[in-house]
Amino acid sequence: MQHEFSAEERQYMQLALSLAEKGLYSTKPNPAVGCVLVKNGEIVGTGWHRKAGELHAERLAMAEAGEKSVGATAYVTLEPCSHYGRTPPCADGLIEAGVEQVIVAARDPNPLVAGRGIERLSDAGIHVAVGLFEKEALALNRGFIKRMQSGLPYVSLKMASSLDGRTAMANGESKWITGEASRLEVHKMRARCGALITGIGTILADDPSMTVRLPDELLREMNLEAESCHPIRVVLDPNLSMPLDAKMLHQPGRTILMTSKQTVEANPSLVAQFHANQVELVAVASEEDHLDIESVLSYLAREEHINDVMVESGAIVAGAFIASGHVDELHCFIAPSLLGDQARPMFVLPELQTMDDKIQLEIESAERFGDDIRLILKKAQ
């Protein structure tokens, strides 16, 4: 018999979801999870997962509730884990604490869990109901969900442009097209993702740092520290053209140069030079002078456990990602200015001959940041 969720149960799960949101920036590569324990209509414990390796949301809520966990109902945004990682299984903890009922927003697609947590609870005589605010819970951990289901991270492509779709003047000048509020939001986006991808052309033209630069107070609110808040910087560099004095190589955090297998095999002395300077190199499949985007993304998901990727690049790499079909969201920050037809475009795309060839997008949301507007778009279904 399907569980009919009451108004009170909805309120408790909404609270659990709001708790989970606190971990959006700090839990990677783990999912952000919230938990609320309720007994006799009273909230007796709450918890949210703060950082990989630390106690999970359920364990924190049970620690706060203490003996009041006996006979309580747990509202959890993601199926309790059933395996030993850096912390013991939360499903076992709920059983040992004497919880009477567990309401789960969404099942965990992690093959190590994938229904086993729910099964373990049910086998112990605990009533389990699943599906309360499932859509919201899955959206909260979209990158983790996608990595578990497809072996690829969730990809957001960010562009900043003028109203006429230009990203820089013909001479490369681009500071600043968008305003301070937009730039602050971009740094928050960087802080949420596990990897930041750009192309070697951007490095040679602009020599960017591509770090997270946010006020200390905001970092504390995001449960982050200035020294460790930076995503892995990934440079698509098929011919190993990266200057060893590039700013990016001397910033806090890691930088990985993704290059082609052919380049590595043909240039052992150049590879040795990068290794001597402690530069991380990864060779992936390529075609001509273009790295295979799916190979890049697959490596990041498989070897670096990256859930969310943001692409910040020039028109060529941006166009390649769009053409690959691997962009999940397009974030366009549009400034109320015109740069003219000689300025640089947002994308270099394969030639599209007819209207049937057009790439149709859907607007997910529109939001104002200072004088700018950000459009979040997804590929039309």
Side-chain angles (χ1 to χ4, degrees):
M1 182 177 177
Q2 188 172 1
H3 186 102
E4 293 293 331
F5 298 110
S6 68
E8 290 79 10
E9 288 173 328
R10 291 177 180 275
Q11 289 178 348
Y12 294 136
M13 187 60 81
Q14 284 177 326
L15 175 57
L17 286 166
S18 67
L19 289 169
E21 286 179 5
K22 294 184 177 183
L24 276 179
Y25 296 93
S26 60
T27 62
K28 50 185 178 281
N30 287 1
V33 180
C35 178
V36 174
L37 279 175
V38 178
K39 185 175 183 179
N40 298 327
E42 175 193 359
I43 295 174
V44 295
T46 61
W48 55 279
H49 186 40
R50 288 167 169 79
K51 192 172 293 185
E54 296 185 5
L55 288 178
H56 290 186
E58 301 94 320
R59 293 274 177 180
L60 291 169
M62 288 185 289
E64 183 179 309
E67 293 182 358
K68 293 182 179 180
S69 298
V70 179
T73 295
Y75 296 83
V76 190
T77 58
L78 195 66
E79 177 182 358
C81 62
S82 56
H83 64 289
Y84 280 88
R86 284 190 273 181
T87 57
C90 290
D92 289 358
L94 291 165
I95 294 167
E96 293 160 5
V99 168
E100 186 174 276
Q101 179 176 229
V102 178
I103 296 181
V104 177
R107 296 176 185 271
D108 188 341
N110 184 342
L112 296 174
V113 184
R116 292 184 182 89
I118 291 170
E119 183 180 0
R120 187 172 296 188
L121 293 169
S122 297
D123 288 347
I126 295 173
H127 177 258
V128 182
V130 183
L132 179 56
F133 293 118
E134 179 182 33
K135 181 180 178 181
E136 290 80 358
L138 293 175
L140 198 65
N141 289 298
R142 62 193 186 186
F144 176 80
I145 301 298
K146 186 181 177 188
R147 177 166 69 91
M148 290 297 139
Q149 292 179 335
S150 71
L152 297 172
Y154 193 94
V155 179
S156 298
L157 172 60
K158 168 258 165 184
M159 301 298 293
S161 76
S162 60
L163 187 60
D164 52 347
R166 304 291 167 164
T167 60
M169 302 306 290
N171 64 1
E173 183 184 358
S174 61
K175 293 185 178 180
W176 294 102
I177 293 175
T178 53
E180 186 176 345
S182 292
R183 297 197 297 274
L184 179 66
E185 179 65 13
V186 169
H187 282 279
K188 290 170 68 176
M189 290 172 63
R190 288 180 180 179
R192 181 174 174 179
C193 71
L196 191 60
I197 296 179
T198 194
I200 186 61
T202 296
I203 305 300
L204 297 176
D206 301 331
D207 194 20
S209 299
M210 299 189 86
T211 53
V212 172
R213 298 184 292 280
L214 291 169
D216 289 342
E217 182 179 352
L218 184 54
L219 285 173
R220 284 193 293 271
E221 290 177 11
M222 299 159 73
N223 199 38
L224 294 173
E225 298 175 355
E227 300 79 19
S228 57
C229 65
H230 310 286
I232 298 173
R233 296 174 293 270
V234 178
V235 181
L236 306 186
D237 186 7
N239 299 308
L240 283 182
S241 305
M242 182 74 149
L244 288 172
D245 61 353
K247 286 181 186 176
M248 187 177 292
L249 297 178
H250 305 281
Q251 301 297 321
R254 294 169 59 198
T255 299
I256 296 176
L257 299 190
M258 291 278 191
T259 191
S260 71
K261 293 178 180 178
Q262 295 93 321
T263 296
V264 169
E265 292 169 359
N267 298 278
S269 60
L270 181 58
V271 169
Q273 186 179 9
F274 278 105
H275 285 160
N277 284 273
Q278 285 76 53
V279 178
E280 293 186 63
L281 298 181
V282 172
V284 296
S286 63
E287 188 173 334
E288 296 179 354
D289 281 340
H290 304 289
L291 301 183
D292 180 69
I293 288 175
E294 184 167 327
S295 296
V296 170
L297 295 174
S298 178
Y299 175 88
L300 292 174
R302 183 182 67 253
E303 301 298 332
E304 299 291 347
H305 309 294
I306 299 297
N307 296 326
D308 295 273
V309 160
M310 185 161 79
V311 180
E312 282 193 78
S313 68
I316 294 175
V317 170
F321 266 87
I322 289 285
S324 75
H326 287 299
V327 174
D328 295 291
E329 284 187 352
L330 178 59
H331 290 243
C332 292
F333 290 84
I334 303 171
S337 60
L338 302 169
L339 300 187
D341 63 357
Q342 297 304 306
R344 298 182 181 182
M346 294 175 70
F347 310 108
V348 173
L349 287 166
E351 187 174 354
L352 305 175
Q353 299 287 345
T354 69
M355 287 298 288
D356 290 337
D357 298 328
K358 69 180 183 293
I359 298 171
Q360 186 66 50
L361 304 172
E362 294 177 347
I363 296 177
E364 186 84 1
S365 67
E367 187 176 0
R368 187 164 179 171
F369 288 89
D371 292 331
D372 308 325
I373 291 176
R374 176 178 64 177
L375 297 179
I376 299 180
L377 307 105
K378 293 184 177 181
K379 192 171 183 179
Q381 299 299 314

